[in-house]
Amino acid sequence: KELTAFPKSFLWGSASAAYQIEGAYREGGKGLSVWDKFVRIPGKTYEGTNGDVAVDHYHRYQEDVDLMAEAGLKAYRFSIAWTRIFPNGKGEPNEAGLKFYDDLINDLIAHKIEPVVTIYHWDLPQALQDEYGGWESREIIPDFLNYAKTLFDRYGDRVRYWVTLNEQNIFMQHGYLMASHPPAVKDPKRMYAANHIGNLVNATVIKYFHEHGYQGQIGPSFAYSPAYPADAAPINQLAADNAEQFNSYYWMDMYVFGHYPDLIRKWQTEQGLAPEITEADDALLKDPLSHPDFMGLNYYQTNTVAANPLDGVGMAAENTSGKKGTSKESGVPGLFKMAKNDYLQKTDWDWNIDPIGLRIALRRINSRYQLPVLITENGLGAFDTLEADHEIHDDYRIHFLREHVKAIHEAISDGVDVIGYTTWSFTDLLSWLNGYRKRYGFVYVNRDEESEKDLARYPKDSFYWYKQVIASNGEDLGE
Ligand code: GCO
């Protein structure tokens, strides 16, 4: 069929997060975040790697923005470190921190690159964790709002796209169910309670933004892995529907409709896991002013599931998110369990490669929520090799991204309003748990601490490929 062209305003971009790139973890008055502390607990990250230096973007941001301009990026998504703005999470803002992002934003705009700002990408101030347990206390709501307001007031004249919470489903499940992120808790009841507070934070911030006449658009970024049934057996179709509601609609419905799916609410009540919802919560969450302008989609893969009889594994310590692809046999008794999908190839990190799944994700969001979608992440984590001539031949990444760009093109032709695509990631960066060997970037960052070329940047083949995609507005995919 004839494909609809990418819109002229399509935001071809790339993305990052503060902790994964900035480094300078004690400079410019920055306070410590929960990640600064967590990475120091032995055994939590691959070989104890941390973001103390990361890829030193804090000092090299101009070089990075120059590279973005060379690639022709139209947009760059990055996150602000709360602890640079409020070292202890609240109180007086820290001017040095505010200025760092001012300079970055101005540099982007000078290069005609649209800044897309993530307000929260997991690096909660440790002071708030210590004071009241972070996400487990409603005290975080005014503190987060104060932080967000400070950003809107300072940067709102130049920033038109705001992402509230990055992958709430991931940081809540890893933080409170699997203990693989801070605060390393394994307790589903606490997870759902903290997650509900996360929803209140998200809604409060969006409502404030809408009520105060800021220009631009705001929404969350959700890590959506659509669920497939293992086969055509009706019982497995039902399991896929369960998984979709449990893993995805549970979050996205709340953002857009202000309620949790009945099926999951009932399940939680039976299990004694339902978070408390006050009347005031309900009013806030259902208020259209608290609903997003777009859905941010982080897409990496799909999940395949099958029926799970009640004698299956428990959920407490299992990976129900599907995102990190670790415990394949996990699931939720009575609802679904993870199954193999023989049709899909896998990445070096065992994640399914599924470009059609992106088209499906876009279509499902479109039909269920009727919102524009900003693809805030998509990319391939892989081992890359730096050749002697400083070239990096990452044809596997080009192939991966090309197929996903085609899927977006198809989805646009299906009628989905996709406003942009910020790939993960621009430069290589710290993978939270996998250190620096899992690389996602268009730009290789040399992490050879022994050599004077440490932290040097080298564009990969995929950098030049993406440049040509952008220049042709998605017409020339280099085939
Ligand atoms: C990793 C992850 C991250 C995430 C990103 C989520 O390897 O640590 O893939 O890079 O994708 O931070 O928003």
Side-chain angles (χ1 to χ4, degrees):
K1 85 181 179 201
E2 194 57 29
L3 291 183
T4 312
F6 281 92
K8 284 215 165 51
S9 58
F10 194 76
L11 295 172
W12 294 103
S14 210
S16 69
Y19 188 70
Q20 299 181 268
I21 59 167
E22 286 180 5
Y25 87 117
R26 310 207 80 151
E27 284 179 58
K30 182 184 167 297
L32 295 183
S33 79
V34 291
W35 274 93
D36 289 317
K37 183 165 173 198
F38 181 77
V39 293
R40 292 183 159 69
I41 304 171
K44 287 295 182 191
T45 66
Y46 172 73
E47 290 183 343
T49 37
N50 63 49
D52 291 2
V53 177
V55 297
D56 198 32
H57 174 76
Y58 186 79
H59 296 114
R60 300 175 195 236
Y61 77 89
Q62 287 168 310
E63 182 184 348
D64 291 340
V65 173
D66 285 348
L67 284 163
M68 291 175 207
E70 193 189 325
L73 293 203
K74 306 262 192 238
Y76 172 54
R77 171 183 179 231
F78 62 95
S79 80
I80 291 185
W82 188 342
T83 50
R84 288 200 190 280
I85 311 300
F86 293 99
N88 294 313
K90 56 185 173 185
E92 285 305 306
N94 168 38
E95 182 52 35
L98 286 166
K99 184 171 181 305
F100 170 69
Y101 296 106
D102 252 333
D103 292 346
L104 172 63
I105 290 167
N106 290 341
D107 199 21
L108 289 168
I109 289 174
H111 288 90
K112 298 197 163 44
I113 301 169
E114 184 84 47
V116 177
V117 175
T118 307
I119 300 172
Y120 184 80
H121 202 126
W122 306 354
D123 43 1
L124 182 78
Q126 180 64 38
L128 302 185
Q129 185 67 40
D130 294 340
E131 187 187 329
Y132 51 68
W135 288 103
E136 290 190 83
S137 165
R138 287 177 181 241
E139 287 185 54
I140 197 173
I141 301 170
D143 286 341
F144 195 110
L145 179 63
N146 182 50
Y147 161 55
K149 270 157 82 166
T150 305
L151 306 186
F152 297 153
D153 288 339
R154 180 78 173 222
Y155 310 122
D157 57 337
R158 286 156 289 158
V159 173
R160 297 190 289 180
Y161 294 91
W162 297 92
V163 174
T164 48
L165 303 179
N166 177 69
E167 296 190 350
Q168 183 182 336
N169 56 329
I170 300 295
F171 77 79
M172 288 296 174
Q173 295 184 87
H174 281 260
Y176 294 92
L177 207 52
M178 284 128 69
S180 43
H181 284 188
V185 170
K186 283 190 188 177
D187 184 335
K189 193 171 167 70
R190 284 171 69 184
M191 193 279 277
Y192 284 118
N195 183 66
H196 183 64
I197 293 173
N199 285 325
L200 297 173
V201 163
N202 182 67
T204 302
V205 168
I206 293 180
K207 185 172 176 187
Y208 182 90
F209 183 86
H210 286 147
E211 277 181 341
H212 289 78
Y214 297 106
Q215 298 304 304
Q217 302 183 30
I218 188 164
S221 269
F222 184 73
Y224 181 30
S225 305
Y228 294 156
D231 59 32
I235 192 92
N236 292 334
Q237 302 287 325
L238 199 62
D241 186 58
N242 289 338
E244 201 67 347
Q245 303 222 22
F246 189 90
N247 281 339
S248 304
Y249 298 160
Y250 185 73
W251 277 268
M252 290 194 284
D253 280 11
M254 181 49 91
Y255 295 142
V256 184
F257 305 138
H259 62 73
Y260 297 115
D262 293 333
L263 174 80
I264 308 306
R265 193 70 190 152
K266 185 151 184 299
W267 176 87
Q268 287 180 330
T269 307
E270 284 163 11
Q271 305 284 322
L273 300 175
E276 195 212 335
I277 307 175
T278 69
E279 268 179 42
D281 294 354
D282 197 49
L284 167 70
L285 295 165
K286 294 215 171 86
D287 184 342
L289 284 174
S290 76
H291 299 167
D293 302 315
F294 62 83
M295 185 66 75
L297 166 64
N298 289 3
Y299 176 79
Y300 289 92
Q301 61 170 323
T302 46
N303 287 328
T304 300
V305 301
N308 191 355
L310 282 167
D311 59 357
V313 288
M315 71 175 282
E318 302 292 342
N319 178 357
T320 55
S321 75
K323 172 141 191 241
K324 302 296 165 183
T326 43
S327 55
K328 289 298 179 205
E329 296 312 312
S330 68
V332 183
L335 294 179
F336 63 92
K337 68 178 174 197
M338 296 298 174
K340 262 182 67 203
N341 190 325
D342 294 330
Y343 296 93
L344 300 176
Q345 296 195 320
K346 292 183 185 288
T347 71
D348 292 347
W349 266 265
D350 222 23
W351 293 16
N352 291 325
I353 301 178
D354 186 2
I356 292 177
L358 173 55
R359 183 174 177 189
I360 292 171
L362 290 165
R363 288 161 55 141
R364 285 189 187 169
I365 293 174
N366 175 69
S367 63
R368 195 170 174 94
Y369 303 115
Q370 298 280 303
L371 280 177
V373 183
L374 177 59
I375 302 168
T376 35
E377 284 182 32
N378 171 241
L380 176 68
F383 294 105
D384 289 334
T385 310
L386 180 66
E387 306 289 345
D389 54 5
H390 294 149
E391 292 191 353
I392 302 95
H393 304 302
D394 57 343
D395 48 307
Y396 37 90
R397 184 169 291 105
I398 293 174
H399 178 76
F400 179 99
L401 293 171
R402 179 191 289 130
E403 295 307 310
H404 285 80
V405 169
K406 282 187 198 164
I408 299 166
H409 204 170
E410 302 274 9
I412 291 174
S413 303
D414 294 336
V416 184
D417 182 4
V418 188
I419 53 185
Y421 180 56
T422 56
T423 68
W424 193 261
S425 53
F426 185 67
T427 65
D428 288 337
L429 40 69
L430 170 69
S431 168
W432 301 90
L433 302 177
N434 301 289
Y436 294 96
R437 52 192 196 134
K438 186 181 189 186
R439 294 171 178 273
Y440 280 94
F442 290 124
V443 176
Y444 187 94
V445 179
N446 192 9
R447 289 275 317 177
D448 177 5
E449 285 164 40
E450 306 300 306
S451 100
E452 58 181 49
K453 290 282 184 202
D454 189 31
L455 298 172
R457 272 78 165 140
Y458 303 109
K460 305 178 191 177
D461 287 356
S462 58
F463 175 101
Y464 299 104
W465 171 82
Y466 198 46
K467 178 176 178 160
Q468 149 192 337
V469 172
I470 299 174
S472 66
N473 200 30
E475 291 299 321
D476 181 358
L477 301 185
E479 283 183 287

